[in-house]
Amino acid sequence: MRGQENEAGTDLARVKFEPDDIEVFVPKGTTIAKAAFAAGCGVEMPCGGMGTCGKCRVHAVGKLSELDSSEKRLLSAEALAEGMRLACRAKIEGDAVVEVPVASRSIVQKILSGGITRDVHVAPAVQKIYVELPKPTLADERGEFERLAAGLMMYDIEAQIGVPMARDLPKILRAADYKVTAVVSEDWVIAVEPGNTARHNYGVAFDIGSTTIAGYLIDVNTGHELEVASVMNPQMAYGDDLVSRINFAMTEPRGLGMLRDSLLDALNRVVRQLVENQGVDQNSVYEVTIVGNTCMTHIFLGLDITTLGVSPYVPTMCGQMTLRGEEAGLEVNSGARVHVLPNVAGFVGSDLVGVVLSVLREDDKRTRLAVDVGTNGEMALQHNGRLYACSAAAGPAFEGARITYGMRGSVGAID
Amino acid sequence: MRGQENEAGTDLARVKFEPDDIEVFVPKGTTIAKAAFAAGCGVEMPCGGMGTCGKCRVHAVGKLSELDSSEKRLLSAEALAEGMRLACRAKIEGDAVVEVPVASRSIVQKILSGGITRDVHVAPAVQKIYVELPKPTLADERGEFERLAAGLMMYDIEAQIGVPMARDLPKILRAADYKVTAVVSEDWVIAVEPGNTARHNYGVAFDIGSTTIAGYLIDVNTGHELEVASVMNPQMAYGDDLVSRINFAMTEPRGLGMLRDSLLDALNRVVRQLVENQGVDQNSVYEVTIVGNTCMTHIFLGLDITTLGVSPYVPTMCGQMTLRGEEAGLEVNSGARVHVLPNVAGFVGSDLVGVVLSVLREDDKRTRLAVDVGTNGEMALQHNGRLYACSAAAGPAFEGARITYGMRGSVGAID
């Protein structure tokens, strides 16, 4: 969302956050707190944004809503004179600049990103194969691709190629003196690199939650997890729960695009964090796996979510989708395979499918229950060889959204 | 090519042709005749552009080359005073306006587009299937696509869908009250239309020659050819033979893109002619088959052709490629399947593969020779169960290009 232009005719306002120097565009009427989430510089709100604790004070100038009763009650005359506002109460009515004091900054939330592990057999879908190919001569006039395909045949690969990769192939082969590493996924040549780069083969797994987005960098050759990173889902600016975001997409003509842009921006921020921390080249990420609730994966794919907002709450589709890195809008290898795991129903998403694949086993005859508690809580019960699944809004109870008790999983929640 | 902007730093000139009111951009130094080909309003040149017959006189104003010796010899003092030039001699040096008198207009060439036919079994790759689907209810919460897929299952189709089609699906289904026609190609749903449109199912077959582009509109349901149309290949402006065009792509940085743009422009002109003459909707064209020499199919796909210009003359690839109508840049259904037939080698293209598929038969033990005479002439010999192929430049001998005798296949060639 950062860098998005404020177009005439839309009801967006520009908000600058100091000292981070981050600008975001949000619909007028958005609270400063939500805008701060969108900017990735969250504000501490122990009361869950109910206007009861007064901990989210920020310094704000620009077009803002009038002081409300909570602000008058919780901010001192001195604070008011300095231009202090409560981020959960004050709304953006036009362009504004907000300074978040250190005391009001939310400590990065603790997302459970490690835990009990079990050994898995590593059989990577993306293979990297180094080949040295014979150069073209008058006695060997095969095409550039046929030359590469013959080299890959030795590894039992029946190579196929798409138009974008074919366009670059001759230049890459000639510049590398026909010594190249082919990156192959299900017989498709998705990238060709000069020299031997077989060692560098990375994947990213994403769990897109309504509140938090977690990303994991995996060394695909070994199966090892190298790095974890998470950010707040910037769509918080358009509603804390799914139904508010679906409403936003139903009422604002560019709504779905805005939700998708803000999501892609966050996913790419996670990718950058992951690869920078490990000194990995973004172009060496050839596979991405995405799970999330049905609404999040729909937004990621740019699919209509309006049918999810009205009874009988049907999704556009449940099946697995695979697209190229470039098509998906992710800053990974342009030919990377981006897999979005299948959903079960409108409100039972691929995140639960991921849980089931990880912890439940077909050959296990025990009765077992898998619970995935997030803003939406989902459960899968394995019993007598069948699987049953359901979901319900769980976030409010734990996170204090719109109810008096509960708070997010940050410092102070348990200690 | 029409409508292309003349960018600073490139050596292009704008030429306007009257009375057709068509503008084209061509490299400076291009003859008026070639520019006229590019504009699709060809000039009669019985001598093949050698400057010996004087039949290609046009009225031209603007930045043009000096009169050359042929023009001085063949144009009367009166004609010179009126601003007459020979289109095959006068070169565009900057922006110019050219008027082609009726007497100098080339009659549309006669391209052999009919002939002996034989019956073939029609088994269309693109099927249209009308379905009436149950609407979503609280008792039937399947996804929109799963609903359609269940309907198609009755026809033994295991439906798959791509992201662009999935984005439009819910709106189409709901607006059509779940009574729709699915367009299916190899299990992929490439389009969904409201109501029953199964009767309208069209394909276009293209033969892209170096000189002429021929297109055939086919009713895919019946296999009947409905219409034929042809245009001059506007790449003539960048060289009459393949080698000149490859040189153009090697020396001009945007060369390949310009060759591709001019080709797409011509292909789309043919599509428009075909569908307009038959009153068919362009969006009802779901399949396109393309044959051409290796260089032409490479240009169509935007593949590197520079390796075709230097020994050992290897292509980027020979295999068959299939892309979506939108990716291909063709004005047909955006999800249409565009098949480019495979090539044999750098100078034995898919046009010969098409000939072989049409006239030679695996089960035929006779020795037979198939000859495809175009600007490049190609032959395929079937003997003792093997196929042999070769090619040579044939156009000059028949068409008078750069040699004294011969002319194009237009009025006067045989009569």
Side-chain angles (χ1 to χ4, degrees), chain A residues 7-86:
Chain A
E7 286 167 25
T10 68
D11 249 10
L12 297 181
R14 178 197 307 258
V15 191
K16 188 168 189 178
F17 284 88
E18 297 291 4
D20 307 77
D21 193 27
I22 294 172
E23 267 188 12
V24 288
F25 292 89
V26 295
K28 288 178 187 171
T30 302
T31 62
I32 292 178
K34 286 191 189 173
F37 278 125
C41 42
V43 174
E44 182 78 347
M45 286 195 294
C47 74
M50 299 300 291
T52 55
C53 73
K55 294 269 175 75
C56 62
R57 56 188 67 189
V58 295
H59 186 268
V61 292
K63 289 195 72 176
L64 299 166
S65 57
E66 296 290 303
L67 286 175
D68 89 342
S69 57
S70 303
E71 294 184 285
K72 287 177 187 162
R73 185 163 43 84
L74 293 162
L75 293 170
S76 66
E78 198 185 339
L80 288 172
E82 282 173 8
M84 286 296 187
R85 302 294 302 261
L86 292 186

Side-chain angles (χ1 to χ4, degrees), chain A residues 160 163 188, chain B residues 123-127 183-188 190 201-208 214 216 218 220 267 285-293 296-298 300-301 303 317-330 332-343 349-351 353-354 357:
Chain A
Q160 291 185 273
V163 172
W188 285 88
Chain B
V126 174
Q127 285 178 272
V183 188
V184 182
S185 171
E186 288 173 1
D187 283 347
W188 284 88
I190 62 176
N201 188 1
Y202 304 98
V204 169
F206 274 117
D207 180 3
I208 308 178
Y216 304 78
I218 310 292
V220 171
L267 294 174
V285 176
Y286 308 101
E287 192 164 37
V288 177
T289 310
I290 289 183
V291 299
N293 60 57
M296 285 303 128
T297 54
H298 271 49
F300 173 74
L301 292 167
L303 302 180
M317 63 181 304
C318 287
Q320 170 161 338
M321 291 294 253
T322 298
L323 49 177
R324 296 175 65 241
E326 204 167 27
E327 279 176 287
L330 292 180
V332 295
N333 191 286
S334 61
R337 288 293 183 260
V338 179
H339 309 285
V340 181
L341 260 59
N343 301 303
S350 57
D351 41 2
V353 172
L357 288 174

Side-chain angles (χ1 to χ4, degrees), chain B residues 61-282:
Chain B
V61 292
K63 289 196 73 177
L64 299 166
S65 57
E66 296 290 301
L67 286 174
D68 89 342
S69 56
S70 304
E71 294 185 284
K72 287 178 186 159
R73 184 162 43 80
L74 292 163
L75 292 170
S76 66
E78 199 184 342
L80 288 173
E82 282 175 7
M84 285 296 187
R85 302 294 301 262
L86 292 187
C88 74
R89 298 285 101 186
K91 289 176 181 151
I92 309 286
E93 302 290 2
D95 293 356
V97 178
V98 177
E99 193 188 331
V100 186
V102 174
S104 302
R105 305 197 143 212
S106 68
I107 285 84
V108 173
Q109 288 190 51
K110 293 177 192 297
I111 294 298
L112 187 64
S113 44
I116 300 161
T117 59
R118 60 181 172 87
D119 284 339
V120 289
H121 172 64
V122 180
V126 174
Q127 285 178 272
K128 290 190 86 167
I129 294 163
Y130 174 67
V131 286
E132 298 191 0
L133 305 171
K135 290 176 210 171
T137 62
L138 279 170
D140 175 6
E141 297 177 334
R142 287 174 302 169
E144 302 282 29
F145 172 67
E146 283 70 27
R147 202 167 293 281
L148 176 64
L152 294 174
M153 189 77 80
M154 308 299 158
Y155 298 88
D156 283 335
I157 292 162
E158 290 183 33
Q160 291 185 274
I161 194 169
V163 172
M165 183 66 246
R167 286 181 180 158
D168 298 333
L169 187 62
K171 266 195 200 69
I172 296 170
L173 288 181
R174 283 167 188 235
D177 209 29
Y178 290 88
K179 297 179 172 121
V180 294
T181 303
V183 188
V184 182
S185 171
E186 288 173 1
D187 283 347
W188 284 88
V189 177
I190 62 176
V192 176
E193 297 167 356
N196 189 344
T197 62
R199 210 163 53 79
H200 305 283
N201 188 1
Y202 304 98
V204 169
F206 274 117
D207 180 3
I208 308 178
S210 314
T211 309
T212 317
I213 295 167
Y216 304 78
L217 181 69
I218 310 292
D219 182 327
V220 171
N221 287 335
T222 63
H224 289 153
E225 183 183 303
L226 302 176
E227 188 78 33
V228 187
S230 68
V231 294
M232 300 297 289
N233 187 332
Q235 296 173 342
M236 298 290 286
Y238 308 110
D240 11 47
D241 52 37
L242 290 182
V243 175
S244 323
R245 293 180 213 172
I246 294 168
N247 279 338
F248 177 72
M250 290 168 90
T251 50
E252 158 70 37
R254 294 195 306 124
L256 177 61
M258 289 165 71
L259 289 168
R260 180 157 184 263
D261 287 349
S262 76
L263 178 57
L264 288 178
D265 183 70
L267 294 174
N268 285 325
R269 239 185 298 150
V270 171
V271 170
R272 283 195 294 272
Q273 269 187 49
L274 292 173
V275 297
E276 276 166 23
N277 289 353
Q278 289 289 324
V280 162
D281 182 356
Q282 283 182 337

Side-chain angles (χ1 to χ4, degrees), chain B residues 297-380:
Chain B
T297 54
H298 271 49
I299 292 172
F300 173 74
L301 292 167
L303 302 180
D304 195 348
I305 55 172
T306 59
T307 61
L308 285 172
V310 291
S311 175
Y313 311 104
V314 299
T316 293
M317 63 181 304
C318 287
Q320 170 161 338
M321 291 294 253
T322 298
L323 49 177
R324 296 175 65 241
E326 204 167 27
E327 279 176 287
L330 292 180
E331 293 171 10
V332 295
N333 191 286
S334 61
R337 288 293 183 260
V338 179
H339 309 285
V340 181
L341 260 59
N343 301 303
V344 177
F347 284 91
V348 181
S350 57
D351 41 2
L352 191 69
V353 172
V355 170
V356 168
L357 288 174
S358 307
V359 300
L360 301 184
R361 295 162 77 144
E362 251 185 299
D363 56 357
D364 187 343
K365 297 295 171 216
R366 290 174 292 178
T367 296
R368 300 175 86 192
L369 182 67
V371 184
D372 177 21
V373 183
T375 306
N376 240 36
E378 299 173 346
M379 290 190 185

